[in-house]
Amino acid sequence: KWEVIFPESQNKPGFFAYRIIVFFDEKHHLPVQMELLNWQNETTGIYQYKDLKINVGEDPEFKKEINRHLYQVYDHGR
């Protein structure tokens, strides 16, 4: 679990939460849930992945859309 607090964020545009709590998958260390809390410390949103699948194989749509240089980085130069 990782927590971030933005004490200077109240009444400033661009900040949608005072506090964010991020939960990570133990096996893959990827963020799988975020809880957003307002300035009264009330939950305003919970976002989470369910049935997350990692490395599911080729993604032809991703390859078609991505910049060629970035694809080389993503593909580790193969």
Side-chain angles (χ1 to χ4, degrees):
K1 173 170 113 168
W2 186 64
E3 185 173 346
V4 179
I5 296 176
F6 303 101
E8 72 283 356
S9 61
Q10 190 168 16
N11 300 322
K12 288 191 178 180
F15 285 90
F16 55 87
Y18 164 74
R19 186 169 145 222
I20 301 172
I21 304 171
V22 182
F23 296 86
F24 293 85
D25 176 79
E26 290 183 21
K27 182 177 179 183
H28 300 287
H29 307 288
L30 295 172
V32 292
Q33 179 176 321
M34 286 180 52
E35 292 185 19
L36 308 177
L37 296 101
N38 64 16
W39 290 265
Q40 289 74 41
N41 215 33
E42 301 166 333
T43 300
T44 59
I46 297 176
Y47 301 89
Q48 67 183 180
Y49 290 102
K50 291 195 178 204
D51 303 321
L52 182 64
K53 295 178 182 162
I54 307 297
N55 295 327
V56 295
E58 296 292 318
D59 185 348
E61 190 63 30
F62 175 77
K63 288 181 183 178
K64 183 174 124 184
E65 296 292 325
I66 194 162
N67 175 294
R68 290 183 188 274
H69 172 71
L70 291 176
Y71 175 67
Q72 287 179 354
V73 172
Y74 172 77
D75 199 28
H76 302 289
R78 288 185 228 155

